[in-house]
Amino acid sequence: MTQTQAVRETLRKLGGVATLKDIYKHIHEISDCKWNTKTPNATIRRIVQEDKEILRLKAGHYMLKEFRDKMVMEQIKEQAN
């Protein structure tokens, strides 16, 4: 598993939306990925900023694109009620 895939999988496990702090905390639960770097947090920051499958909601908050439509539909349902 690549580091990018590990970040995406961590976001999925956290419900599709997470803070950078939560990603840092839970990323190492994925044992299939090797983080052979002295600065894994910097690598994670780079991945969430550059990956086209990850959206920045606001400073330090990120979402997988695949969860965007699901969240929009939930908001529409809430507004309809």
Side-chain angles (χ1 to χ4, degrees):
M1 176 177 286
T2 66
Q3 292 173 344
T4 300
Q5 291 170 330
V7 170
R8 289 179 187 168
E9 185 61 28
T10 300
L11 275 166
R12 275 187 204 97
K13 287 182 178 182
L14 294 172
V17 179
T19 64
L20 201 51
K21 182 179 178 181
D22 287 336
I23 296 170
Y24 292 157
K25 183 177 178 182
H26 296 281
I27 192 81
H28 299 291
E29 294 173 5
I30 298 177
S31 59
D32 295 349
C33 183
K34 301 292 182 201
W35 292 89
N36 298 328
T37 177
K38 292 181 181 180
T39 56
N41 288 357
T43 302
I44 293 166
R45 262 193 322 275
R46 180 189 51 79
I47 290 169
V48 297
Q49 291 172 358
E50 294 178 356
D51 188 356
K52 301 295 184 201
E53 296 300 314
I54 298 174
L55 302 171
R56 179 179 179 261
L57 299 176
K58 60 181 182 178
H61 289 77
Y62 296 91
M63 172 196 284
L64 278 172
K65 275 188 176 180
E66 64 192 67
F67 284 82
R68 177 179 51 191
D69 293 335
K70 180 181 175 182
M71 292 187 79
V72 168
M73 291 306 295
E74 288 175 7
Q75 289 176 349
I76 291 171
K77 286 178 185 176
E78 286 178 12
Q79 290 175 356
N81 292 329

